[in-house]
Amino acid sequence: MTSANDRVKKLVRAEIRALGAYHVPVAGDLIKLDAMENPWPWPDSLRDAWLEELKAVELNRYPDPSAKALQVAMRSAMSVPDSASVILGNGSDELIQMIVQTVAAPGRSVLAPEPTFVMYRQIAAVAGLAFVSIPLQQDFSLDADAMLTAITRQQPAVTFLAYPNNPTGNLFDAEAINAILLAADGLVVVDEAYAPFTDASFMSQLQKNDNLLVLRTVSKMGLAGLRLGLLAGSREWLEQIDKTRLPYNLGTLNQVTGCFAVQHKQVFDEQARKICDARAGLLAGLQGMSSLAVYPSEANFILFRAPPGSADTIYRGLQQAGILVKNLHGSADALRDCLRVTVGLPEENKTFLAALEQQL
Ligand SMILES: *Cc1c(COP(=O)(O)O)cnc(C)c1O
């Protein structure tokens, strides 16, 4: 008799068997500074008005398959140029998956610098594409020459650039990205998940570059639980990518809530402004600890490097003090001894800084 293990080995591709599951630690009562969530709750009046709108939803009916009302609202909230097309996804993760599926074929590859957002590698592997990664420089800036060489040699079907980058927090040089756009025959996806916390964007470059796609999400601005992302690009590309979308990828609850939230975008803009202010304080506090190397950030988190060999102990010590951060030590050579902290509420940041100081 064949065991389940034997069958799995025979039928599941080696690249998929080799993947680790996406592991999310349980936060419990810990102060949650691990996942780039917006810590600010909704004002009560907003919550009540939202629940009132949900009352009218008819869940016996299928959702609008193309989420037209939400598309209009999201285009305006995210300053998408009129000439560009958009597709909405169940989080930007789903849009990354759709982009990769659209160009997936034997022998094709996906290119990205590393360290970066882990889903590019994961989704490429699941779709059966080779993943080519180019190490970032010591200061986490883009190695433009190595990227351009890889583009010439490998002709990647898609290049992913997180802008600002996760988990490093920095913006890559815009000139280097322009050079990549010029050199690439394939798609270049500029992933702007942290747009609420920076002024930099490639959204206005869409008209000039027909191989450019810009990704946005509402997750980091304060709606991580909603699952809603936006892809903007040329009509020709988006018409094809949209064919890989499952017809009802955004439920009616998502569509109605997304429209409601975007109508009250000034609430989230104000929260993002408070997060940027708190980021400056958190950065100064970390920089005041002389045994840390602290990396500048244009996002809602800060990466820092602890003294050699101490990251795991610091991570556990913070947990015992009631604080959850992200431990990146062991995930990649470039991130040795590194921890990443999300900007929280002012008092949470203070608690974190005091607890960290105790650990050093
Ligand atoms: C968090 C993050 C995303 C995921 O966004 P979702 O819309 O929540 O799927 C995408 N890209 C980068 C770079 C991120 O850090």
Side-chain angles (χ1 to χ4, degrees):
M1 204 175 80
T2 17
S3 73
N5 268 333
D6 291 337
R7 283 188 218 279
V8 162
K9 213 168 155 195
K10 200 166 137 194
L11 282 171
V12 180
R13 293 189 343 256
E15 311 89 270
I16 293 186
R17 279 187 279 125
L19 288 175
Y22 192 81
H23 173 69
V24 182
V26 181
D29 290 335
L30 299 178
I31 296 178
K32 208 170 172 311
L33 303 180
D34 65 326
M36 283 80 101
E37 291 149 337
N38 173 347
W40 297 92
W42 288 21
D44 284 343
S45 57
L46 199 65
R47 189 173 291 268
D48 291 345
W50 166 57
L51 291 173
E52 208 47 50
E53 290 213 1
L54 290 185
K55 274 187 187 168
V57 169
E58 294 182 338
L59 280 181
N60 56 318
R61 304 293 177 194
Y62 275 105
D64 173 356
S66 57
K68 282 183 289 296
L70 185 54
Q71 275 205 21
V72 171
M74 289 281 282
R75 287 188 78 103
S76 132
M78 305 213 157
S79 310
V80 177
D82 289 341
S83 58
S85 294
V86 303
I87 301 175
L88 302 181
N90 193 296
S92 47
D93 287 349
E94 188 190 35
L95 295 163
I96 296 168
Q97 190 176 47
M98 284 163 55
I99 294 164
V100 171
Q101 279 174 345
T102 304
V103 296
R108 300 267 172 90
S109 64
V110 169
L111 174 73
E114 267 192 331
T116 192
F117 186 47
V118 292
M119 292 311 291
Y120 308 144
R121 178 186 278 277
Q122 172 108 2
I123 287 170
V126 170
L129 278 81
F131 185 78
V132 181
S133 70
I134 301 298
L136 292 172
Q137 319 247 38
Q138 204 84 53
D139 63 355
F140 298 133
S141 62
L142 206 55
D143 187 340
D145 290 343
M147 289 292 292
L148 293 171
T149 304
I151 285 170
T152 310
R153 288 218 185 115
Q154 315 276 344
Q155 298 284 315
V158 194
T159 301
F160 283 102
L161 297 165
Y163 186 77
N165 189 40
N166 171 14
T168 57
N170 58 315
L171 284 169
F172 297 138
D173 178 41
E175 281 314 304
I177 297 180
N178 278 318
I180 287 168
L181 277 164
L182 269 179
D185 274 333
L187 286 167
V188 178
V189 180
V190 176
D191 180 348
E192 300 186 341
Y194 299 96
F197 315 105
T198 181
D199 293 329
S201 172
F202 272 76
M203 198 60 99
S204 63
Q205 307 292 311
L206 282 172
Q207 288 106 317
K208 278 193 256 165
N209 299 282
D210 59 18
N211 58 341
L212 169 65
L213 300 177
V214 175
L215 257 183
R216 291 285 184 90
T217 173
V218 301
S219 293
K220 308 313 169 11
M221 89 178 210
L223 297 161
L226 183 62
R227 311 308 299 139
L228 175 61
L230 171 143
L231 176 68
S234 68
R235 183 179 47 79
E236 290 83 350
W237 270 112
L238 266 64
E239 253 172 29
Q240 300 305 318
I241 295 169
D242 197 46
K243 295 175 189 171
T244 68
R245 187 174 61 84
L246 296 176
Y248 301 112
N249 65 326
L250 293 181
T252 310
L253 295 174
N254 267 22
Q255 294 188 30
V256 170
T257 304
C259 282
F260 176 84
V262 161
Q263 276 160 22
H264 298 88
K265 188 165 175 291
Q266 78 284 357
V267 174
F268 300 97
D269 289 345
E270 175 58 21
Q271 291 177 345
R273 204 188 53 72
K274 285 196 277 194
I275 289 168
C276 289
D277 284 352
R279 175 180 69 197
L282 190 58
L283 185 75
L286 286 166
Q287 282 169 338
M289 297 180 208
S290 57
S291 62
L292 304 178
V294 187
Y295 297 93
S297 171
E298 294 272 330
N300 62 340
F301 60 86
I302 296 175
L303 182 78
F304 60 95
R305 199 182 296 272
S310 68
D312 289 342
T313 315
I314 291 175
Y315 175 74
R316 282 194 300 269
L318 287 171
Q319 228 167 356
Q320 264 148 26
I323 300 155
L324 186 64
V325 298
K326 177 83 174 176
N327 184 5
L328 292 158
H329 177 71
S331 66
D333 225 29
L335 297 171
R336 186 175 309 183
D337 305 311
C338 283
L339 298 159
R340 186 190 65 196
V341 60
T342 301
V343 181
L345 297 169
E347 56 273 24
E348 293 176 334
N349 301 332
K350 240 168 80 184
T351 307
F352 159 75
L353 286 171
L356 179 61
E357 198 141 36
Q358 291 286 311
Q359 299 296 319
L360 297 173

